[in-house]
Amino acid sequence: MTQSHRLADGGRIDRNKPLRFQFNGKWYLGYQGDTLASALLANGIHFVARSFKYHRPRGIMTAGVEEPNAIVQLENGPYTVPNARATEVEIYEGLTAASVNARPDIEHDRFAFMQYLSRFIPAGFYYKTFMWPRRWWGKYEEHIRNAAGLGNVPREHDPDRYEKTYAHCDVLIVGAGPAGLAAAHSAASTGARVILVDNQSEPGGSLLHTCTSVNGTPARQWLAQITGELASMPEVQLLSRATAFGYQDHNLVTVCERLTDHLPLQQRKGVRERLWKIRAAHVILATGAHERPIAFGNNDLPGILLASAISTYIYRFGVLPGRRAVVFTNNDSAYQTALDLHRSGAQVVVVDARAADEATVPPRLAEKGIQILWQAVISHANGKRHIDSVAVRKRGNRAGSDATTHTLPCDLLAVSGGWNPVVHLYAQSGGKPRWRDLDACFVPDGQVSRQTTIGACNGQFDLAGALDSGVQAGRQAAATLGWQSDHDISWQAEPVHAGHIEPLWSTATGRDIARGPKQFIDLQNDVTVSDIYLAVREGYRSVEHVKRYTAMGFGTDQGKLGNINGMAVLAEALGQTIPETGTTTFRPNYTPVTFGAIAGRELGDYFDPIRKSCLHQWHVAHGAVFEDVGNWKRARYYPRDNETMDAAVARECLAVRNSVGLLDYSTLGKIDVRGPDAATFLNHIYTNSWTKLEPGRCRYGLMLDENGMILDDGVNLRLADQHFLISTTTSGAAKVMSWMERWLQTEWPELKVYLTSLTDQYATATVAGPCARKVLQQVCHDIDFDNQAFPFMSFRHGSIDGVTVRILRVSFSGELSYEVYMPANYGHHIWETLMRAGEPFGITPYGTEAMHVLRAEKGFIIVGQDTDGSATPIDLGMDGMLAQSKDFLGKRSLSRSDTAGPNRKQFVGLLSDDKQTVLPEGAAILNEAAGPGVVPLQGHVTSSYLSPTLKQPIALAMIRNGLSRMHQKVTVALPDGTFAQAHICSPVFYDAQGARQHVE
């Protein structure tokens, strides 16, 4: 296991710690500090992948997060990680990695033939093929799915742990390169709280792979000094191996910190990844820049790397990727790579697209005798699974048309097409990049509030400018927040005089664009220059549309290398400038984030909060079966002696109708509304009026959204002139609370109203049935329960066994019914007291299923079940709830042509003609039976039950013009393909006069 391309010395690796790792079934050797990419290159391995669509051989191209080719599958079983970038994977003892998108392996990929069919499957081919014959689509889909995708999703449970945390700071700095370090040191010197985030294993950025100096000392020595000083500052926190992947409103930056991925599997303990949500008073973006490639024929061959990546492998990892190198450039930065290659023992030839007088050539280049070919470009590269030569021609000549075209043998090609500032986070924060002709790139256009961009991210590509911008930004950010320092910091670096950059996106011209070797723009998605020209011929003009037609930038690299080049090629094809063409949207996530990090510990039982009433354990002890309502666990029914649900529900319903039942109603939302303007506020929120409601009385309230659709409902109490207690549905409590706060804070801030959620503070027990009054009279002696003294829709205060309670006379069952509000801490005691008092009357606890049946028999709605966000009060026959003398939210929407027009679905009852079929909830309602195909839908069933009281099925439904179609017959489609006949009726099936709730 000799490392054929490892230099004898140099790099930041630890040569005293050799590590064995496996790639594609073979064992190799690397060192502590290597990435998988550097270790493979050290072993002479360039060919590491097959391309997504054409399955062409691909090699390592970069040294960072922008890598489009070297996508691998890590480990096996529960620890497997798909689509990891080899350039970011730190090797450890026993690491196992494999190429993706190749079956059975990259050497013998059975889909390799696709590269020879590439002419027939350009961009957009899937929009035009596989359309005929239609019945074959199932087979097409099977093969397409088999060929698509990269890595394999883990099939076993993830054993790792993930967590989330929150942090606040004065100054957040993203990027620990020279500019970021200078900014952190400058800001921290004032005493400000600083968080410094960097995605690499150690800070330093470009200083880790360049041979330069700061203040006359080697950059590595300066780096060690400044990181040591930052580590000693108590208000500085450095997050390494942490990627800021999203920038949200109000300076909220999301960061994913990788804690154990660099360790062997057996040493990984604790949390694997931590998701940070950092809120900063000021954000400094020092995210650097990505070098971009140049498109030419076969520019995807293994052995073709970005120039800066080659310098990184030489200086940081002690790896020489090739020994016979060609450097192809249109700017001065690649000359340093030429020198690095020569110093490491490689033969070097430079191909520069510019004229000699447009470049600033380092004197050492001439001293070393490195040949430069001026005004020349590479038309195409040659090789099968590795580059072996390049064809060079004079710029402006078509490939093969000029005698000066010649071939340069090589085993390594370094490409530099200029630099793209990493403006992703800047754009996510609301900034708009602008095009700068001087450097042929997009740069931030001004500063967003409470944010600064510095260094290469701001188009300052020289070290001296980056350091100075960092110092100034850190000091100014701290000063803006009130932190001052007399300590004057400055660092000097040798100024760099850069020559002119010659914008060069592709070397192909004329027929070569479509007929020559493929010139790739997006290497991960196999998007070529010809694909973009094809999109233009198809009529696409918007860069966003071209992106979607070609899939440019859709890969895991999100187009970090290819998108700018693609925009430039599109501009050329359209005959317009790059600023006129614009950019695609820089969306989160900047790099892929694991589902585990996003989910954190909110998995399984902890995926959603579980809320239990204070009576939950009583329900468990008495055999209740639960259902989830919102986040609450509610008792659905109480089976006895192996009863079925239907039998238990029937027994519970009949107990309420014939004697008395007890329901845990604690989960209903309860919001305390108080203040001088409380009644005015509720008049705005609810459809009916609250001004004249007397203290001690209750009223049913209906709430609409802005569109006039029913949002929530509930019974509300007026406790005093300026004090109300409103109730909401169980699942709607949080929604209603935020809805009311939103309007109160943003639209009516002048109203003196205060809202407090009391849902958890009160337990509620509903005593319902003809004997309900008798039960309460057994335990509450300070309230007169006579009909006249305690009328319907009123409440009284009293006590049960010394506990103060509030009792409402309201009914959701149609029976004589009382709701007992008590402090939650006494809920269990009061509940058992009521159960004992009700024993002589056969009191029966009943659950939500029986409650639903009882209310359906009375035609009462449940918001969210009988309504779906498209129903108005008029649709439900509740016109009387709409106050004419006041305005309220949603009122104007009720007069729109759609909401006030004909043919709307309306709330009605349904009875099956055979009096036996329980119509399925959600079933489609038709005018008549129909075969397969599109038929006019008349409505749907919203609620359906077998009524034990009526001894037949009943249903509620929303039917088009239902209120005017009473007694008409309709057809209900059943899941098994058959149909049931039913007729429309009133939604009130039982006690239409409401006499039972007034029983003496």
Side-chain angles (χ1 to χ4, degrees):
M1 292 188 292
T2 59
Q3 299 182 59
S4 58
H5 286 67
R6 182 77 73 179
L7 295 173
D9 53 32
R12 299 177 69 87
I13 55 174
D14 188 345
R15 296 174 186 259
N16 295 319
K17 295 182 179 179
L19 301 171
R20 294 172 70 252
F21 69 96
Q22 190 180 73
F23 180 68
N24 285 341
K26 297 181 181 179
W27 287 97
Y28 299 95
L29 194 65
Y31 292 114
Q32 184 81 43
D34 263 325
T35 64
L36 178 59
S38 67
L40 288 171
L41 290 174
N43 286 275
I45 307 298
H46 280 265
F47 176 27
V48 297
R50 289 281 183 175
S51 70
F52 172 73
K53 187 163 88 172
Y54 300 134
H55 288 255
R56 290 167 63 106
R58 290 285 166 82
I60 298 161
M61 189 174 189
T62 74
V65 299
E66 68 273 29
E67 175 59 40
N69 295 332
I71 308 299
V72 298
Q73 185 95 19
L74 298 178
E75 301 302 344
N76 300 297
Y79 289 97
T80 190
V81 177
N83 300 341
R85 289 173 296 281
T87 51
E88 289 195 298
V89 176
E90 298 175 56
I91 68 166
Y92 48 80
E93 181 63 32
L95 168 71
T96 299
S99 301
V100 300
N101 198 40
R103 301 180 185 91
D105 55 56
I106 58 173
E107 298 287 345
H108 309 93
D109 182 15
R110 68 171 67 109
F111 285 101
F113 70 90
M114 297 289 287
Q115 59 192 302
Y116 305 112
L117 303 178
S118 59
R119 261 188 81 182
F120 306 103
I121 49 175
F125 81 97
Y126 31 78
Y127 298 130
K128 307 170 186 176
T129 53
F130 309 122
M131 300 295 182
W132 183 89
R134 187 173 181 177
R135 66 180 182 276
W136 286 12
W137 169 246
K139 282 293 182 184
Y140 292 148
E141 183 180 28
E142 179 182 341
H143 290 292
I144 291 170
R145 287 186 179 276
N146 190 41
L150 294 174
N152 295 315
V153 174
R155 297 182 181 275
E156 299 180 35
H157 176 74
D158 187 351
D160 289 314
R161 290 175 56 195
Y162 305 83
E163 70 178 21
K164 302 176 185 178
T165 190
Y166 295 83
H168 295 78
C169 62
D170 296 315
V171 182
L172 170 65
I173 300 161
V174 181
L181 289 169
H185 193 282
S186 178
S189 296
T190 68
R193 288 179 302 160
V194 174
I195 296 179
L196 178 59
V197 173
D198 191 73
N199 68 339
Q200 298 198 66
S201 59
E202 58 179 328
S206 62
L207 298 180
L208 299 175
H209 57 258
T210 55
C211 183
T212 186
S213 61
V214 179
N215 282 357
T217 62
R220 293 190 178 191
Q221 184 176 331
W222 177 84
L223 180 58
Q225 175 188 340
I226 193 170
T227 53
E229 292 179 9
L230 288 172
S232 67
M233 295 179 177
E235 296 295 339
V236 175
Q237 185 172 12
L238 172 61
L239 301 180
S240 296
R241 300 186 179 93
T243 302
F245 63 86
Y247 195 141
Q248 283 75 37
D249 293 341
H250 309 295
N251 275 6
L252 175 64
V253 178
T254 46
V255 176
C256 183
E257 181 185 16
R258 301 171 296 280
L259 300 170
T260 62
D261 282 358
H262 61 290
L263 300 174
L265 296 181
Q266 62 272 20
Q267 295 181 19
R268 296 182 184 180
K269 302 188 185 308
V271 176
R272 178 193 173 197
E273 292 181 343
R274 180 178 293 122
L275 181 67
W276 291 78
K277 297 182 180 181
I278 304 175
R279 186 82 67 178
H282 195 96
V283 176
I284 297 177
L285 299 178
T287 47
H290 292 147
E291 192 171 25
R292 62 177 176 246
I294 300 171
F296 53 86
N298 298 328
N299 63 324
D300 62 329
L301 276 172
I304 301 176
L305 284 80
L306 294 179
S308 61
I310 293 174
S311 292
T312 298
Y313 289 119
I314 291 173
Y315 272 102
R316 186 172 180 182
F317 301 107
V319 174
L320 180 61
R323 294 184 171 86
R324 194 167 189 177
V326 173
V327 178
F328 178 30
T329 185
N330 66 345
N331 66 93
D332 289 345
S333 66
Y335 287 127
Q336 183 59 52
T337 301
L339 290 170
D340 296 340
L341 283 164
H342 187 275
R343 181 186 64 82
S344 300
Q347 300 178 36
V348 185
V349 175
V350 176
V351 177
D352 197 323
R354 302 169 296 175
D357 59 357
E358 295 177 321
T360 303
V361 182
R364 287 179 295 164
L365 212 68
E367 295 171 6
K368 304 295 184 182
I370 297 175
Q371 181 185 6
I372 304 176
L373 304 178
W374 297 107
Q375 290 185 296
V377 296
I378 292 175
S379 63
H380 63 272
N382 301 308
K384 187 175 181 182
R385 292 183 175 174
H386 192 93
I387 188 171
D388 57 33
S389 64
V390 294
V392 181
R393 60 176 172 82
K394 278 291 185 181
R395 191 174 185 195
N397 293 336
R398 189 167 60 83
S401 65
D402 195 278
T404 57
T405 299
H406 62 284
T407 300
L408 293 177
C410 62
D411 63 359
L412 180 67
L413 175 59
V415 181
S416 178
W419 294 82
N420 293 325
V422 179
V423 296
H424 300 65
L425 294 179
Y426 169 80
Q428 291 171 23
S429 72
K432 301 294 183 183
R434 63 177 173 84
W435 181 255
R436 188 164 77 186
D437 285 323
L438 178 64
D439 296 300
C441 63
F442 283 98
V443 297
D445 187 14
Q447 303 302 325
V448 179
S449 176
R450 298 190 294 128
Q451 179 218 94
T452 310
T453 53
I454 59 174
C457 171
N458 198 41
Q460 296 160 313
F461 298 114
D462 65 300
L463 179 58
L467 290 170
D468 182 64
S469 68
V471 170
Q472 298 301 323
R475 181 182 296 128
Q476 291 171 9
T480 301
L481 301 173
W483 299 94
Q484 302 291 337
S485 174
D486 297 330
H487 185 51
D488 190 20
I489 305 172
S490 66
W491 292 292
Q492 304 298 321
E494 183 179 349
V496 176
H497 302 286
H500 168 72
I501 181 173
E502 180 67 26
L504 181 60
W505 317 106
S506 169
T507 65
T509 58
R511 287 172 52 87
D512 296 333
I513 293 174
R515 299 297 183 184
K518 288 194 174 295
Q519 313 96 39
F520 287 92
I521 293 291
D522 182 334
L523 281 85
Q524 186 163 118
N525 281 338
D526 279 345
V527 180
T528 64
V529 173
S530 61
D531 288 332
I532 296 175
Y533 274 82
L534 173 62
V536 172
R537 292 198 300 274
E538 295 276 9
Y540 293 95
R541 296 294 182 268
S542 164
V543 65
E544 292 286 3
H545 292 163
V546 170
K547 172 182 176 178
R548 283 152 181 80
Y549 181 78
T550 63
M552 179 179 71
F554 271 21
T556 61
D557 64 337
Q558 285 291 286
K560 293 181 179 64
L561 288 189
N563 274 11
I564 300 299
N565 287 20
M567 297 165 201
V569 170
L570 176 61
E572 290 179 354
L574 293 172
Q576 61 190 31
T577 65
I578 294 176
E580 290 173 334
T581 304
T583 69
T584 54
T585 303
F586 296 92
R587 293 185 176 89
N589 299 328
Y590 172 67
T591 56
V593 179
T594 64
F595 286 114
I598 295 172
R601 300 188 183 185
E602 296 155 16
L603 303 170
D605 289 340
Y606 304 104
F607 178 73
D608 240 359
I610 297 175
R611 303 181 72 180
K612 302 174 182 178
S613 78
C614 61
L615 299 170
H616 185 82
Q617 291 307 316
W618 190 95
H619 302 318
V620 171
H622 289 77
V625 176
F626 292 91
E627 68 172 336
D628 294 326
V629 182
N631 295 131
W632 291 93
K633 294 289 184 183
R634 295 196 68 181
R636 190 177 185 187
Y637 61 97
Y638 301 83
R640 294 179 184 173
D641 302 324
N642 299 318
E643 280 181 318
T644 64
M645 184 180 80
D646 289 342
V649 171
R651 174 178 49 78
E652 293 170 11
C653 289
L654 292 174
V656 174
R657 292 288 183 223
N658 297 324
S659 182
V660 65
L662 191 61
L663 171 71
D664 181 4
Y665 226 20
S666 304
T667 61
L668 284 190
K670 309 170 193 72
I671 301 174
D672 185 89
V673 182
R674 66 175 71 195
D677 299 317
T680 301
F681 175 67
L682 294 181
N683 280 337
H684 291 341
I685 291 290
Y686 286 94
T687 63
N688 46 342
S689 176
W690 301 88
T691 306
K692 295 181 180 180
L693 182 67
E694 298 176 357
R697 300 290 293 185
C698 311
R699 180 168 292 169
Y700 176 72
L702 203 58
M703 186 183 299
L704 309 184
D705 64 16
E706 302 105 312
N707 300 310
M709 307 304 167
I710 294 176
L711 179 70
D712 206 86
D713 69 346
V715 173
N716 303 336
L717 295 66
R718 189 164 197 168
L719 303 177
D721 287 341
Q722 300 180 6
H723 191 185
F724 293 81
L725 180 67
I726 73 168
S727 66
T728 74
T729 56
T730 294
S731 59
K735 175 181 65 178
V736 170
M737 181 71 179
S738 61
W739 172 259
M740 295 171 72
E741 283 285 9
R742 168 189 162 189
W743 288 95
L744 185 59
Q745 294 183 29
T746 63
E747 300 298 327
W748 309 312
E750 72 282 358
L751 296 182
K752 296 178 181 178
V753 180
Y754 308 93
L755 307 178
T756 307
S757 175
L758 299 179
T759 302
D760 294 301
Q761 276 63 44
Y762 288 109
T764 305
T766 297
V767 186
C771 298
R773 180 183 292 117
K774 297 175 182 177
V775 173
L776 286 171
Q777 286 173 334
Q778 300 291 315
V779 295
C780 184
H781 307 293
D782 45 5
I783 294 178
D784 184 352
F785 287 92
D786 182 76
N787 265 340
Q788 304 302 319
F790 194 168
F792 185 61
M793 295 302 284
S794 65
F795 66 90
R796 298 291 183 265
H797 290 98
S799 63
I800 298 177
D801 200 15
V803 178
T804 300
V805 296
R806 179 184 297 129
I807 300 179
L808 289 60
R809 186 176 171 187
V810 295
S811 181
F812 195 49
S813 61
E815 299 294 332
L816 176 66
S817 177
Y818 299 89
E819 293 181 6
V820 182
Y821 279 57
M822 75 283 294
N825 289 344
Y826 294 95
H828 189 276
H829 171 67
I830 300 297
W831 178 275
E832 290 198 323
T833 300
L834 292 170
M835 286 295 296
R836 287 193 297 270
E839 286 177 0
F841 309 99
I843 193 168
T844 301
Y846 68 101
T848 55
E849 195 67 22
M851 177 194 72
H852 287 178
V853 176
L854 295 168
R855 66 89 197 175
E857 291 173 344
K858 288 292 294 179
F860 297 149
I861 67 166
I862 291 182
V863 174
Q865 179 165 335
D866 298 302
T867 68
D868 60 1
S870 65
T872 71
I874 301 170
D875 299 334
L876 299 184
M878 303 172 75
D879 314 47
M881 294 287 295
L882 306 177
Q884 302 300 315
S885 59
K886 72 178 182 75
D887 196 9
F888 54 83
L889 285 175
K891 182 175 183 178
R892 280 168 285 182
S893 295
L894 296 176
S895 61
R896 292 183 305 170
S897 58
D898 178 62
T899 51
N903 299 320
R904 288 189 60 82
K905 293 180 182 178
Q906 296 172 333
F907 186 61
V908 294
L910 275 183
L911 289 172
S912 51
D913 287 355
D914 62 7
K915 297 186 178 182
Q916 293 181 350
T917 303
V918 179
L919 305 175
E921 292 181 353
I925 299 173
L926 315 172
N927 281 330
E928 57 187 15
V934 178
V935 295
L937 182 67
Q938 298 302 305
H940 66 282
V941 177
T942 63
S943 300
S944 182
Y945 311 96
L946 178 62
S947 167
T949 304
L950 302 174
K951 296 182 174 56
Q952 71 175 62
I954 61 172
L956 301 172
M958 294 293 290
I959 298 180
R960 198 174 307 280
N961 296 321
L963 295 175
S964 62
R965 298 175 62 180
M966 286 296 162
H967 311 299
Q968 289 185 14
K969 291 187 178 296
V970 292
T971 300
V972 180
L974 302 180
D976 62 1
T978 62
F979 298 90
Q981 300 301 311
H983 61 272
I984 301 172
C985 62
S986 166
V988 182
F989 299 96
Y990 180 72
D991 186 28
Q993 291 73 35
R996 295 186 62 86
Q997 63 194 22
H998 298 292
V999 66
E1000 291 294 338

